[in-house]
Amino acid sequence: MYRTKFFDHLILIAGVIFMLGPLVVAFTTSTHSAAEIHSHGLMLSIGNDAAATYDKVLFKSGGFTGQVTGLTMAMNSLILGLGFAVGKIVLSMLAAYAIVYFRFRFATLAFWLIFTTLLLPLEVRILPTYKVMSDLNLLNSYQGLILPLLASATGTFFFRQFFKSVPDELLEAARIDGAGPFKFFIDILLPLSRTMIAAVFIIMFVYGWNQYLWPMLMTTEEGFYTLMRGIKQILQVWIGSQIPDYNEAFAMAVLAMLPPVIVVVVFQSWFIKGLTETDK
């Protein structure tokens, strides 16, 4: 038994090292100068430029306009991630609530029509979506960044399955007590959905935070650049003998990983319950 536990823990430790290895290498490399990285490649030791690099990445103004900072880009990514996650949860819960509890005709057909949007990723509908945003004058705006991403059925599917598992006796008891549809949703379904909301929030926040293609198309003003766009912008600099600031790109990549990791760690237990719990 002890031998089995030893090998189990050995496999877990190997998995942790395999997953954290690239992150550790990215951090150690970011503490060296760009010239050292350009000459010697990835670094496994910690250099002397950590404080200067991270201070420059977060607080020094740069870009073509000389006005955008890493902190500004991080805030834009945070707004995109939170706005997408919260908007997706609200829209998905309302859609799932209508499909499950309002017995209107063609409710099942409506759900499957919504579900088919999973077959149409953003890349497929990106040109007409961009045209709509342009016609609405939503380019270079947070609304233009967030609203088009809400049009998918992932959250609706999760909440529909969750609401279908809620006992009908709760609905009958709410009706006997005189609760209307809105009160039933707020006072009963919403508290019951805490774990599912946490699970969907993590998935949607990470998805929104890591967006690159859509923000690249929607934003031409540096004030709306996200961290993902900023990393690419740093690596594109190659003028004459000037080499890209590899250390800043690695530092920005490390900083870009922190918010999703924090969200997953904070909501980890709720995330697992939301995806596995069946008894309500």
Side-chain angles (χ1 to χ4, degrees):
M1 183 177 67
Y2 292 105
R3 183 177 298 178
T4 302
K5 288 186 175 179
F6 171 77
F7 283 110
D8 290 343
H9 284 82
L10 188 64
I11 292 173
L12 291 174
I13 293 172
V16 170
I17 294 174
F18 179 77
M19 296 296 292
L20 291 181
L23 177 60
V24 173
V25 172
F27 172 73
T28 55
T29 303
S30 69
T31 61
H32 293 265
S33 65
E36 288 179 310
I37 299 171
H38 184 70
S39 301
H40 304 291
L42 298 177
M43 302 288 189
L44 297 178
S45 61
I46 297 179
N48 300 320
D49 298 328
T53 298
Y54 282 89
D55 179 74
K56 183 179 180 181
V57 164
L58 284 173
F59 304 110
K60 183 179 179 180
S61 298
F64 294 110
T65 62
Q67 297 178 350
V68 65
T69 65
L71 200 59
T72 301
M73 291 186 286
M75 185 60 64
N76 291 335
S77 293
L78 185 64
I79 292 173
L80 175 57
L82 289 177
F84 173 68
V86 173
K88 190 70 175 176
I89 289 172
V90 172
L91 187 63
S92 300
M93 289 191 72
L94 293 176
Y97 180 56
I99 292 171
V100 173
Y101 289 100
F102 290 83
R103 313 289 183 177
F104 57 89
R105 186 180 297 181
F106 306 124
T108 303
L109 176 62
F111 168 73
W112 286 111
L113 288 176
I114 296 174
F115 190 76
T116 53
T117 60
L118 290 176
L119 305 176
L120 298 172
L122 179 64
E123 291 76 9
V124 174
R125 49 187 170 86
I126 198 164
L127 288 179
T129 304
Y130 178 86
K131 181 66 167 58
V132 171
M133 293 296 103
S134 177
D135 292 341
L136 294 176
N137 294 321
L138 292 179
L139 301 181
N140 292 309
S141 67
Y142 294 122
Q143 298 94 319
L145 283 172
I146 296 170
L147 291 178
L149 299 177
L150 301 180
S152 70
T154 310
T156 304
F157 174 77
F158 283 129
F159 283 112
R160 174 184 178 268
Q161 298 305 113
F162 179 84
F163 290 162
K164 287 177 72 70
S165 69
V166 175
D168 292 335
E169 290 77 9
L170 287 177
L171 178 59
E172 296 173 2
R175 287 175 175 172
I176 293 173
D177 290 340
F182 181 77
K183 188 173 180 59
F184 174 72
F185 178 78
I186 297 297
D187 293 345
I188 297 179
L189 281 184
L190 202 59
L192 287 176
S193 305
R194 288 194 305 268
T195 54
M196 181 56 68
I197 290 173
V200 174
F201 177 83
I202 291 176
I203 296 172
M204 299 306 167
F205 176 81
V206 174
Y207 178 81
W209 176 273
N210 290 329
Q211 279 294 309
Y212 171 72
L213 179 59
W214 182 246
M216 184 181 67
L217 292 175
M218 283 295 300
T219 57
T220 56
E221 296 179 7
E222 287 187 329
F224 290 97
Y225 280 11
T226 61
L227 273 179
M228 305 306 160
R229 182 95 186 261
I231 296 173
K232 181 66 175 178
Q233 197 74 18
I234 289 175
L235 295 177
Q236 284 179 336
V237 176
W238 195 295
I239 305 173
S241 60
Q242 182 180 354
I243 62 174
D245 293 319
Y246 294 115
N247 54 339
E248 295 181 23
F250 276 111
M252 195 171 288
V254 172
L255 293 175
M257 294 185 225
L258 293 181
V261 169
I262 293 173
V263 169
V264 171
V265 170
V266 171
F267 293 101
Q268 180 183 11
S269 60
W270 284 20
F271 175 73
I272 295 173
K273 288 181 181 179
L275 295 181
T276 61
E277 194 175 64
T278 58
D279 296 329
K280 307 294 182 292

